[in-house]
Amino acid sequence: MAKSLFERLVEDMKQAQGITEQLKAENQFLWVQRLNNIRACAKEIVEKEIIFS
């Protein structure tokens, strides 16, 4: 349950912030930076909603 929520959150946030394969091709450093930020946010949400509640 936590893993599927995490994956869904990451995909939703990527779409909302415009993180695309085109960005990855054009500026890989920025793409990695933004994706890491999204993953950190999603992890925090999952921990707060499922693990620590």
Side-chain angles (χ1 to χ4, degrees):
M1 182 173 172
K3 185 175 180 173
S4 62
L5 175 60
F6 174 80
E7 291 172 357
R8 191 180 79 228
L9 285 169
V10 168
E11 286 305 313
D12 290 348
M13 289 182 197
K14 280 172 58 178
Q15 288 180 2
Q17 295 183 27
I19 308 302
T20 62
E21 291 298 314
Q22 182 179 353
L23 176 62
K24 184 179 179 182
E26 292 173 358
N27 190 340
Q28 193 171 20
F29 183 74
L30 180 61
W31 181 83
V32 168
Q33 196 174 30
R34 288 188 176 178
L35 194 58
N36 284 343
N37 186 37
I38 287 171
R39 287 177 182 262
C41 291
K43 180 182 176 195
E44 199 171 312
I45 291 168
V46 169
E47 288 175 347
K48 192 173 204 176
E49 295 290 321
I50 295 177
I51 298 172
F52 297 124
S53 62

